[in-house]
Amino acid sequence: MTGPSETSVVPPADGTREVEEVHEDLADRVAEAVLSVPGVHALHGGVLGEVATYLPGRRVAGIRLLEGVTQVHLVLDWDAPMSATIDEVRARVSALAPGVVHLAVEDVQGPAGPAEG
Amino acid sequence: MVAVAELTATAAPTVAPAAPAPDDAPSGAEGRGQLSVRAQALQHIVESVALEVPRVRRTSGSLAGVRSGTPHASVHVRGTTARVSLDVAVAWPAPVSDVAAQVRSAVLDRASELSGVRITAVDVNVTVSGIDERRAS
């Protein structure tokens, strides 16, 4: 049997589906965990929408799962203290996804934010 | 603890990776990943803080979007610090210099605290809105 470290090797056709389902589940759970943090307004897909997890038939914007690295791009509420909010996001994501968590604050939503400006 | 894309807020196509925090953050988050903050995010924090100051009013842009509405901040980031230039409008009549001073201290204190970015300088330009309507009447 291969150890868990071997999962990066391209698996046979049957295995591919399993890996995708695991990722699908994980991307959704990470997204849910991020959005549950007070002060997080939304996930953000990046300027070109390039930050996303691509799944069969759909995508989870703002979350990118790589080998040992999880990228989260998000929009905060303007009055959320950034460092505390970021720490909380990092803690919740770390609990779900192993490895390093890279965070990017793409924008801030507020009374002077883009949606109302 | 925060690095901001070293670009002005109006043209920020990339996100800069964060540098390790030399600051006072008790977070313990270092080493677990990077944090990057787009200048646009800082700009919107500053604008929102300015809007909280009494008598500062929001104005909408005009001239088909050529002139932006206020409050409008222009953020210049260098490393972990930022310089801010800010346009605000106050309603007539208003003690302009008082409002300007309040905006300035609000941005220095509150926006720095919220964003974690040390704001070193704030230039405030105050315009008085509502005068044109009064003249016309």
Side-chain angles (χ1 to χ4, degrees):
Chain A
M1 294 299 284
T2 56
S5 62
E6 306 255 335
T7 50
S8 62
V9 178
V10 177
D14 287 354
T16 308
R17 172 136 296 175
E18 273 179 40
V19 170
E20 277 177 356
E21 279 170 8
V22 167
H23 263 227
E24 180 170 357
D25 188 34
L26 184 58
D28 284 335
R29 280 189 294 147
V30 169
E32 197 178 318
V34 170
L35 290 172
S36 71
V37 176
V40 174
H41 185 80
L43 292 162
H44 192 288
V47 174
L48 303 174
E50 77 281 14
V51 181
T53 301
Y54 293 90
L55 302 169
R58 66 193 184 92
R59 55 207 285 286
V60 180
I63 307 280
R64 193 186 264 164
L65 302 171
L66 305 171
E67 280 296 319
V69 178
T70 304
Q71 294 181 1
V72 178
H73 290 232
L74 40 74
V75 178
L76 298 181
D77 292 326
W78 77 271
D79 54 354
M82 192 174 284
S83 66
T85 307
I86 287 300
D87 287 348
E88 182 64 25
V89 169
R90 204 184 284 282
R92 293 195 192 186
V93 173
S94 297
L96 292 173
V100 180
V101 180
H102 293 330
L103 294 172
V105 179
E106 294 275 350
D107 201 354
V108 164
Q109 183 70 39
E116 298 152 84
Chain B
M1 59 162 298
V2 177
V4 183
E6 291 200 31
L7 294 161
T8 59
T10 46
T14 58
V15 179
D23 275 11
D24 50 328
S27 59
E30 293 80 13
R32 286 196 284 154
Q34 300 169 337
L35 169 65
S36 58
V37 180
R38 199 175 287 270
Q40 175 178 272
L42 183 58
Q43 176 197 351
H44 288 146
I45 287 178
V46 169
E47 290 170 358
S48 300
V49 166
L51 209 51
E52 272 200 334
V53 174
R55 295 181 210 263
V56 171
R57 60 152 68 166
R58 179 204 298 274
T59 60
S60 57
S62 58
L63 294 177
V66 171
R67 195 173 71 195
S68 60
T70 64
H72 178 78
S74 167
V75 179
H76 299 272
V77 177
R78 174 164 296 178
T80 58
T81 65
R83 292 179 54 94
V84 174
S85 177
L86 180 63
D87 294 335
V88 296
V90 297
W92 170 270
V96 171
S97 58
D98 284 1
V99 172
Q102 284 175 39
V103 168
R104 186 172 164 279
S105 67
V107 169
L108 282 172
D109 296 344
R110 191 100 199 282
S112 293
E113 175 195 333
L114 287 173
S115 65
V117 177
R118 199 157 60 84
I119 295 173
T120 54
V122 182
D123 298 331
V124 182
N125 301 314
V126 181
T127 57
V128 181
S129 70
I131 290 180
D132 294 344
E133 291 86 335
R134 291 172 63 88
R135 278 182 182 155
S137 62

